[in-house]
Amino acid sequence: METLMALVVGGLFASAIYMMLRRSIVKLVIGLVLLSNGANLLIFTQAGMLRGSPPLIPLGQMQPEGVVADPLAQALILTAIVIGFGVLAFAVVLIHRAYEVVQADDMDQMKDTDT
Amino acid sequence: MRLEVALPVVLPLLFGALSVALWRWRTAQRITAVVGTGVLLLAAIWLLMSVWNNGVLAIHMGDWRAPFGIVLVADLLSAIMVVLAAITGLATAVYSLTSISQRHEHYGYYPLLHLLLVGVNGAFLTGDIFNMYVWFEVMLVASFALLILGGERAQMEGAIKYVTLNLLSSALFLTGIALIYGLTGTLNMADIADKLSTVEETGLVTVIGMLFMISFAIKAGAFPFFFWLPASYHTPQVAVSALFAALLTKVGVYALFRAFTLIFNQDVGYTHEILLWVAGATMLTGVLGAAAQFEFRRILSFHIISQIGYMLMGLALYTPLAIIGGVFYIMHHIIVKANLFLVAGLVYKLKGSYELKELGSVYRERPMLGFLFLVPALSLAGIPPLSGFFAKFILIRAGVEAESWGIVFVALLVGLLTLYSMIKIWAEAFWKAQPEEFAAKAPANPSGVKSMYFTIAAMASLTVFIGLWGQPIYLMAEAAALQLLDPRIYIDAVLGEGS
Amino acid sequence: MKHQLNIPSLILRSTAHFLLPLLLMFSVFLLLRGHDEPGGGFIAGLVAAAAIALYMFAVDIADAQRVLRVDPRDLVGWGLLLGVLSGVPAIFRGQAFFTAQWFEFTVPVLGYLKIGTVLMFDIGVYLVVVGGVLMILLSLAEAED
Amino acid sequence: MSTPLAWNILLGLIWMGFTGSFTGTNLLIGMVLGYVVLAFALRSVPAFANYTRKVPKAIGFVGFFIWELILSNVKVAYDVLTPTHYMHPGVIAFPLEAKTDAEITIVANLISLTPGTLSLDVSSDRSVLYIHCMYLEDEEEVMRSLRYMEFRALEVLR
Amino acid sequence: MLLAVLSAFLLAIVAPTVHRVTGAYSGWVLAILPAALFIYFASFLPVVGAGEALRFSTPWVPGLGIELSFWLDGLSLLFALLITGIGFFIVAYAGRYLEGHRDLGRFYVLILSFMGSMLGLVLADNLIALFVFWELTSITSYLLIGFNHEDAKARKSALQGLFVTVGGGLALLTGLIMMALVSGSYELSEILASGDVVRDHGWYVAIVLLVLAGCFTKSAQVPFHFWLPNAMAAPTPVSAYLHSATMVKAGVYLMARLNPSLGATDLWLILLGVFGALTMFTGVFLSVRSTGVKKVLAYSTVMALGTLTMLIGIGTEKAILAAMTFLLAHSLYKGALFLIAGILDHEAGAKDFLETGGLRRSLPITATLAALAALSLGGMIPMFGFVAKELLFEAVLDAPMLSGFFTVLAALSAIMVVAVAAIVGIRPYWGKPVKTPKAVQHEAPPAMLAGPAVLASLGLLFGLGLAWVDKGLINAAAQSVYGTPVSAYLALWHGINLPLMLSGVSLALGLFLYLNWERFRRLTGFMETLSKFGPERGYEKTMDGLVWSADWQTRILQNGYLRYYLLTILLSTVALLSYSLLRYGGFPLHFDVSDVRLHEWVIVAVLLLAALVSVTTRSRLGAVASLGAVGFAVALIYVLFSAADVGITQVLVETLTVIMLVLVLFRLPGFLALSPNVIRLRDAFVALLVGATMALLSLLASSQRYYPSIAEYFIAESQPSGFGRNVVNVILVDFRALDTLGEIVVLALAALGVFAMIKFRAEDRKE
Amino acid sequence: MLEISITIAYFIISLALLLSFVRLVIGPSLPDRVVALEMIATITIGYIAVYTLSSGKTAFLDVAMVLALTAFLAAVGFARLVTKGGGAHVD
Amino acid sequence: MLTEILVSLFLLIGCGFMLIAALGLVRMPDLPMRLHATTKAGALGAGLMVIAVGLYFFGDVGVAARSAAIIIFIVLTAPIAAHLIGRAGYFVGVPMWSETVKDELKGQYDTHEQVLLSPAKGDKDAEEQSDRS
Ligand code: NA
Ligand code: NA
């Protein structure tokens, strides 16, 4: 499964990058969403993937039954998802505002500040 | 248990939270801003003294022992960085009291300030690689918000580039963390270093190190990753620019120092050679960028880049003296750079413009301000006996000792070109008579200039102080460098002796 | 005038009146049991925020704000404060920040209970998430009109 | 309907207290017992009488509804699975008996859940529900079954 | 000693206040300090004159070997006396010359700071301290040259001077560091003792070149001589002080100072000798061609600097003695002449010799003093300048190498110097009176005459009282430079010999040249066109080129197009990663999809296809919907591989994201096809490269694991120590609560940011 | 017996997922895509049901619960957008 | 064994309906009819599958409650989503199948007054209606 997931991660990165390279700021944001999904899945993949064994401990026991999936990686992904969401919210509103001031969904109209 | 190691993170967080909770009361927020950053400075100094006396300190958050829980670690470099952040924070807060509009205050300026400091200090202190990512993001989002506060077109345009490129950096960072975790099964940096030191085939580690290098280099604004910086740094309120200029890129630099002394030291001949090239190119492109600019803040922004090059040069040469130089350079740079932006802000307040073409006569009218500009400006250019001279001197000496002639030449050349830029500002904004047609732009009775002067003067005194009393600063940099070059000290402090 | 339909759907509106309390209760449920089963402050906060977002779509923004009673900014501020403060008690016992403090007691009907600062922390998370997401959604929706 | 329901739940809780077992199953048992108590002991109180009368109707309606659901799903399934389309779709205006928002909503949703019909919108004066029907060969028949559905639903609701 | 150096800076700080308090007498009052310092240094004459050297040291940054150490020997004492002595007159003079100038207070600050820097420079024993003062003189001189800063020409000249000297200074710094590394010490007094080590080291040539780059620029040697005449934009007291007597001699000082450790090689002789001689000749030639009062003096200063350099390069005992004598003589007469130039400007408004003539009637004292100074400049017997010139001729005739070359240039220069002396000493005062730009009212005030009077008189006095000078300072200074005690002595009369004959011939020819001055200038007019290709043009071209290339590279790099920034970063990333991968190579790679179940294949396929659709669709909201599908597929992967909390979060976040996008995209237009197909293909290629790299990295890393994960600890401790059965949540709120805290801070910040963005806009709209 | 049923169920539901995805891709209108998205959410619930049976771990029902309760919010959002004129000129 | 059979039955029938819904989604000729398919067959399919889960863990109240909750939630939300999408699609004029026999909603949306008219009543009533609102 890790092999297949490598493909998924690569695919998500590739789609994200392609979108980020477009002139449209909306596409830029879509790219960011894909990028964060790709990175999160990469963490998931690297922790090793296990079917049907959530890191939960049955009621009244001290340890889970058998081998369970890596809870640390899951916690990291959770954190990363939330952070990604916060950042995305900001980015989304930013492009909205940028569109309002520039009146075009085109990055090429936004290059005055650089030089 | 070392409380002081956590305070630089907890305090601004507390004050930040308080400041958000008190959003209705402007005065309360203003008080929180000054008191909060003031207390932070005291705590930071406490930490520095404590580390100086006791060596590397660690606090295991939640009392979960390393490497399982998150550890905050303060070695000298971290403690120094925290003190610098606190100084910048306090300076910015005081300066902002009169330079920030009520509207900015109403929409969360001070909470953002505190929380930015949380992120910055967190990144400096954490001993956990993923936790560092979290603090990076805290810092980043706080800076996003500060960057757009005001809502002008230029801010939006700049912010888009800033946000995008920094998010790319974050994604690469996260990718790197994932891979390192996959290999070592741990997140604690000391533990990673410890475990990697027993691994024989480290090629893949070095490859992953490249991901970290690129990610941090983007944050640090190094060549060829710096584009976000000149695109955005001149757009927000100048107090914000000052804060950014002083701290944000330095977090990237700090991360590079940390990662490429502690974790990725398997193939120094390769990794640090790359860093050396990056350093040289960063210096040159940055300074040339500045030479092409004619706006106060833009010139300063490009100079941040070239200065980053010097710091990286210190890391890249990887000799004790070079690392000392790098650390010294960071200390000097943070204060000087923040101050230059603050001066720019005051000039703007007095003259109503940042364009050199439109400025003039500042020296005629405000000789003191002229002097206060020259101190950081000449320091930046490395003119003795100011702080920047010692920083450059150490680096160049390190370069000469390492017989890295190319980088020495570049460092010298860039010093000269820096002087050129600073003199350009001086000649145009301070010496030249202001063209009549722009004189009208100046506000009639600028208010609140005093506290701005006060801040600038205090920062300038620090610059002079570092220059005139360079020995203690040097000793500190030396001790910090020696700690950095012996990762075992850090590892033992985190994981316990004999781990 | 633009070709748009501004009549709120009656069906959606009356469902929302019903779904709002259901979702809010569900969110509290998720919050409280998060330590043992899937859930927790963040997930619960998102559900609560989603509930109010639904109300916002179905009824209107002013009503959604009225239902909320408090300014989302207060939620964020106090949530943050709660989160940070939950880490502070430990230092009075000479432990590091964020060392969990547990209080065990037996309540008549409910029986043996073990409540810790981690719950306080989780509630802080919950409040920040609710407040933060709502700040974003409400100001966005306001901007749209 | 809500007050008696609350009483019923309370009775269930009391039952749990009596037995000392705080599980979901026990609550369910308690509530069933409570219902029995309410149905027989408090028949004279009008509110409770109404409640006890409605519970079997509601259960009956759910049964009816699920049957309808399955039946007409099969019809759609047949249509979906066979290559030719047998539909005669159209939008009709269905005059509503339901008056309150809650009634209208429930009726509309039930109609949507029943295959072949889909509530599109309610007229602003709440007199008419616009419904998209898949099989309009016999509009009268469709209307009749819709009305029957509405009747049975309102019976539970009112 | 430290206090002596610092006193000037300390006085500088309070100078404006002193100026305000003492008003018209401020010049005299402030001049007390240099006077006192002069006396202080003079008190060392007996000791130092006896060949002893004193050392004073205060630690500064000992960790770097930087000390504030001072070394008082003959050479430094000579300079210290010149600096303080002339400084005294300059300060007093400036008080009158700039009387009523609005910036006089600032002027005092600068001139006193300069004095302190200069003193520090010549006294410093520590190389780095020396460099510190060296740079300080550059900066203070920059501020002084640009004193009339509202004049664009002054600013430009100031920058030129600064850029050239600081540029050289940086080379010097490198040279000094290398020298210190080679010799193992930063103390001059120790380095001088290890001259052989330095000369034998492989770095020797580099050190010499770097040090000389500093010295040549500072001391205006060809081809860096152009900045000096331009620096005459400064007020006259500045020119007199900095650009004749002190700062420009700093380079000469350093060459002299380092002569014992760097000198006595062919390289040293050739470099110093040839460049010095050329500078000497060029300086005097340009001087005699000029008509501007200060230009003539400035170029003749260039000549003097060249002469000194040449003499140090020749390095014989006699040459060194000549150099020291010439140094002193030149400082005296050139200081006087500059001050007199100031008087001409101040009283007659004359800035050009062509505007002057017959002033001896209205300015009799000035005329006398000018004549006296000019006699010394021209090398007339019995002036001190004559002694210097005789020694010079002796030295070049005795030079161990290139003697003919030096002699010819020296003789030619001597001829022209005579002409220059006549121009400055005769031309303005004799002949027909010319109407000056400003009618002369009276003689200059005493404060302005005092300097020229004393300096010019000393030129005569020293000439006559040679024995006194000889026994003391000059010999001690020469000893410092030469390295061992000097046995030669000064004399006014050496008998009739070749040098005297050369003097005579040059006097005659020089006077002839003066009488044909106009014609000479006309004949050499071609130099004007030639100067278009001179070093100053080179400097300007360099500066233009700098700005142009800066502009060019910035336009290329910082071009404003986000996608090019991204492309640059991404391609660099791919290049760096793949190069590193190739460099190490040979990693184990487990490619295995046999464990993947059918439905997982389908989910992955849908995920990837949905991503593809969101990338390729022309519909904006279609892209958002596809994004939703990606999100659900990702959530499914989380669920199928045991991550319940993550699955829930993913679903919720996905939903909220879609809502947010929908709210925001509301007003935005649909996608446009903005890029041509070629660009799309390029971007797709780059994107695939990045994706492939990431996939490869992921594959490589998941094929290896060095250590088991620390997650085992959390699983084991979750319930016993964390009292929670959901391990993920216990990690979130307990084990790694700090992460979660940071995470909610991020969310709070994002909310604050969004809120501010929208409210700011809303308010702006209202306005 | 159940093993086989689960395998078959996975197969069938995957087929359903693919088909829904086809609609998502071909549209043609935005509401069509939204319907497809809703369907995918429902299928996700189905997956979770099968998965719960195959793994024996009931924790994942919570995911399904949240999904059932909130997934339709996306549809609400889209519908609002479309009726307010946001989608009219798009597809 | 009986449980297993029952569970398998519910599961497979549920899956079947899910597939039918998906097929309908693809095969149905216009938006409302696709909605018909997904709303009913989809909801029914998911419901049956969840019931299968409930049966499998028979006796586990937690599972039963959650299964019930899921079904209730689906039943609550599916028709609303369908209604909103259908309404939106109709309003913006997503084309209906060519063989649609009847459309009584046509022209009833008054975007000027923002009301949905009812066909039985005349224009007058509509005006009244708009006055009231
Ligand atoms: Na791995
Ligand atoms: Na977290």
Side-chain angles (χ1 to χ4, degrees), chain C residues 4 34-43 46-47 49-50 53 56-57 73 76 79-80 83-84 98 100 102 114 118 121-122 124-125 128-129 131-133 135-137 139-145, chain E residues 644-646 648-649 652-653 656 659-660 662-664 666-667 718-719 721-727 729-730 732-734 737-738 740-741 743-745 747-752 754-755 758-759 761 765:
Chain C
Q4 35 175 259
H35 215 49
D36 293 325
E37 301 280 337
F42 185 74
I43 289 171
L46 282 183
V47 170
M56 185 180 88
F57 280 133
R73 266 198 281 181
V76 171
L80 269 184
V84 187
F98 292 101
W102 294 94
K114 190 156 185 159
V118 294
F121 183 75
D122 230 1
V125 173
V128 173
V129 172
V133 174
M135 260 173 92
I136 294 169
L137 290 182
S139 49
L140 266 179
E142 267 181 83
E144 185 200 305
D145 296 333
Chain E
D645 291 85
V646 180
I648 297 178
T649 312
L652 284 167
V653 163
L656 284 172
I659 289 177
M660 219 162 53
V662 160
L663 272 174
V664 163
F666 182 55
R667 287 183 200 284
S718 174
Q719 176 64 16
S721 317
F723 309 112
R725 291 185 288 110
N726 180 356
V727 185
N729 197 66
V730 176
L732 286 178
V733 298
D734 200 343
L738 205 58
T740 311
L741 197 63
E743 155 200 326
I744 61 174
V745 172
L747 206 61
L749 282 168
L752 285 173
V754 167
F755 187 74
I758 288 173
K759 294 294 175 178
R761 163 191 164 257
R765 278 210 176 160

Side-chain angles (χ1 to χ4, degrees), chain E residues 108-179:
Chain E
Y108 286 134
V109 175
L110 294 174
I111 200 91
L112 286 169
S113 305
F114 172 78
M115 194 177 81
S117 315
M118 199 61 213
L119 266 181
L121 194 164
V122 297
L123 290 170
D125 187 24
N126 186 281
L127 283 183
I128 303 308
L130 181 145
F131 179 76
V132 168
F133 291 114
W134 177 283
E135 292 291 83
L136 277 176
T137 60
S138 295
I139 292 294
T140 42
S141 108
Y142 165 75
L143 294 170
L144 283 165
I145 298 173
F147 185 68
N148 295 315
H149 50 77
E150 280 166 5
D151 172 14
K153 199 169 162 288
R155 292 198 300 270
K156 191 167 171 253
S157 304
L159 173 66
Q160 196 182 57
L162 180 72
F163 216 61
V164 173
T165 54
V166 171
L170 290 172
L172 172 66
L173 176 64
T174 318
L176 294 181
I177 292 175
M178 289 168 75
M179 200 157 68

Side-chain angles (χ1 to χ4, degrees), chain C residues 37-75:
Chain C
E37 301 280 337
F42 185 74
I43 289 171
L46 282 183
V47 170
I52 295 173
L54 167 70
Y55 202 76
M56 185 180 88
F57 280 133
V59 187
D60 69 11
I61 301 155
D63 264 347
Q65 275 164 334
R66 201 157 345 106
V67 164
L68 195 61
R69 281 170 210 280
V70 284
D71 193 296
R73 266 198 281 181
D74 286 321
L75 289 180

Side-chain angles (χ1 to χ4, degrees), chain A residues 13 17 20 25 28 32 35-36 39-40 42-44 46-47 70 72-73 75-77 79-80 83-84 86-88 90-91 93-95 97-99 101-102 107 109-115, chain B residues 130 133-134 137 141 144-145 148 151-161 163-164 167-168 171-172 174-179 181-183 185-187 227 230-232 234-235 293 298 302:
Chain A
F13 266 93
I17 296 301
M20 289 169 77
I25 38 178
L28 182 66
L32 291 179
L35 193 66
S36 112
N40 294 341
L42 184 65
I43 304 179
F44 201 56
Q46 288 306 315
D70 183 338
L72 180 56
L76 301 188
I77 297 168
T79 305
I83 288 175
V87 169
L88 181 75
F90 185 89
V93 178
L94 176 64
I95 61 144
R97 287 283 295 115
Y99 173 75
V101 288
V102 182
M107 278 306 301
Q109 312 279 318
M110 302 182 202
K111 53 191 194 63
D112 298 340
T113 62
D114 286 51
T115 44
Chain B
F130 186 80
Y133 164 79
V134 172
E137 296 301 291
V141 181
F144 290 168
I148 51 81
E152 281 156 29
R153 174 177 177 150
Q155 288 181 291
M156 297 301 151
E157 289 187 22
I160 286 193
K161 290 159 195 159
V163 169
T164 309
L167 290 184
L168 181 65
L172 293 177
L174 201 54
T175 308
I177 292 172
L179 297 171
Y181 177 65
L183 287 178
T186 184
L187 296 167
F227 311 105
S232 61
H234 58 91
T235 60
Q293 305 302 316
R298 285 181 201 242
F302 270 104

